[in-house]
Amino acid sequence: MFRSLHRKLVLVLVLLIVSVMAVVGTFLINSVTSYHIREFRSQMSSVFTSEFILTLEQNADDHGTLRGMIEAYSASLGIDEYRCFYVLDGRTGAYLSGSDDDYGAKLQLTPNILTAMTGQVGQATETLGEYFDVAVPIRDDSGAVLFVVGVLDDKSELQELNWNLFTILIRAILFGLVVAIFLSFLLSKTITTPVEKLTEQAARIASGDFTSSAQVQSDDEIGILSDTFDEMSVQLETTLRQVEEERNKLDTLFQHMADGMVAFDSEGVLLQYNAAAEDMLDRKLDGNFRYTDVFPEVQVRQEDLAQDGKSIEIDYAAGPRFLKIYFAPIRLGAEGKGLMAVLHDVTEQRKLDDSRREFVANVSHELRTPLTNVRGYAETLMSADDIDRDIQMRFLGVISSEADRMTRIVKDLLTLTRLDYNRMEMHMQPMDLRELGQKAAAAMEGQAAGQGLTLTCTLPEEMPAVLGDAERIQQVIINIITNAIKYNKPQGAITITGGVEGEQVFLRVEDTGIGVPKADLERLFERFYRVDKARSRESGGTGLGLAIAKQIVETHGGHIGFDSEYGKGSVVTLYLPQMKDEAANG
Ligand code: ADP
């Protein structure tokens, strides 16, 4: 750029100088020529006056006399080596005498001479011709042209003068060129050097270096341009930094958002994705993936995507997860259209919905059985008049026990609901698990013995206090012992022990019962989950006991452990946090 600007400057200056010189030269040469012709005319007319011509005619005896008379005016006529005068024969035009006989011998009949031979003064001037001349006729008394006298200038002097002028001009042009080159260097210093500096600064900015300045110290336009450039550089840096910060923020947000994000370009090549998307799809992604690799089963066509920014919602199963995927078009560059997919993990929501549905179905089912029984027995009693009193009592007994069962279910459900919504009032106070365990064992001893089971309670002398609602915890312990009785084998045993494990105080109920298969263990605490439904129902169970127990214990900050060997027996342990000293003293 600098080089070309410099060249242009030299070229402009050279053209300027050459054209000015050409105009001046032409003007000068024209002026000199005009001046020369004007001078010739005035010299001729000052000598060849009508009186002088009359004198010549009166004395024109022979050409020698004429020659002598004209020679007397040589100086006024400017006769020299370039200008000569001549005397010609008026009829033939033959040279008779003159100032330069050599030239006279070669003299040709010019138009002016021919005019003079006809009796007129020939004084036409041919500016472009090789000479200029004047020819005067010398007549006798009868008017016949005897001689023609004239002066002829062969322009050599003029041409010499013009040539001198021309060489001066050429020298001036050469000098002008030197000046032009010098000036162009000067100009390049004042114009192109700052421009070059600005160019270098622009290159540095383009490569991301905003720290430098062009450092052009001047008050002219270039100085202002340089200052503006510096300002622009600072602004650009600030803007770029802001954009970068925004981009980083967005990137962090993108990478750490809970929803998965995947973006594809118009060719379907994976552009961007975040960790959540990889988690949800349960696979590692990289830039070589295409849309069909990521979502092989989902066809989304560009034309299906609404232009008003609305997205298409699709349910998608990725292994054990359920995803909701929202597809939306994204703009890429000026023309390009890409596709963005937002992945939302709805597995938990699905599970919750499923368990809610299951729960409602379970409740309906649990209530329908006793209701059907009540209705059946009641209708039988109503329709038959002569039923035996014993049978009547048996039927009424069934109705009553089914009603009790429904009452228990409803009561348990209410308890659970209260626990779910934290509406169950807990009377927290320091309590002794040993005392609670012993009381429960004593309360259940009769029932165990009734079924031929041995119940032993071996608790340590001292157990650390725990904070809790004694009545609720008692209810939990009784529930666990009841289960150990219900799901025991004939002549089985139940052992209650207790102790401290780390920060936890525990109470353990072991039985030699039917046990629970491994697969069912983790579901025991679900509502209405029962391993053997018939046995549970027979023994008056609602399938809600352990669920309630779990909720109560968790409200106390503890938990229940259930371990079992199928066919051999179960170990159910209630853990509660030891009470802190200050709380125990308080
Ligand atoms: P239920 O009212 O049916 O006893 P629970 O919630 O108390 O309901 O218990 C859920 C299920 O866990 C029972 O149906 C039973 O199958 C199993 N269970 C509980 N305790 C024991 C145990 N000690 N031995 C074997 N199975 C048990």
Side-chain angles (χ1 to χ4, degrees), residues 502-523:
E503 297 286 294
Q504 309 276 323
V505 185
F506 70 87
L507 195 87
R508 184 165 290 151
V509 179
E510 280 177 66
D511 66 65
T512 54
I514 57 171
V516 176
K518 278 257 165 318
D520 294 298
L521 268 180
E522 62 181 36
R523 299 197 61 190

Side-chain angles (χ1 to χ4, degrees), residues 34 38 72 98 108 115 148-149 194 313 363 402 438 463 577 582:
S34 311
R38 261 202 321 278
Q108 290 181 348
T115 309
V148 170
V149 295
E313 186 186 317
V363 172
E402 292 293 17
Q438 280 175 336
M463 280 173 82
E582 62 272 29

Side-chain angles (χ1 to χ4, degrees), residues 262-265 267-270 283 288-301 314 316 325 327 339-341:
V262 232
F264 302 92
D265 67 10
E267 303 293 311
V269 177
L270 183 59
R283 60 194 298 198
N288 296 323
F289 276 59
R290 299 187 71 83
Y291 175 83
T292 40
D293 304 319
V294 184
F295 300 116
E297 301 95 14
V298 190
Q299 295 286 330
V300 176
R301 292 177 309 157
I314 282 171
Y316 189 77
I325 308 183
F327 288 97
L339 181 69
M340 164 84 94

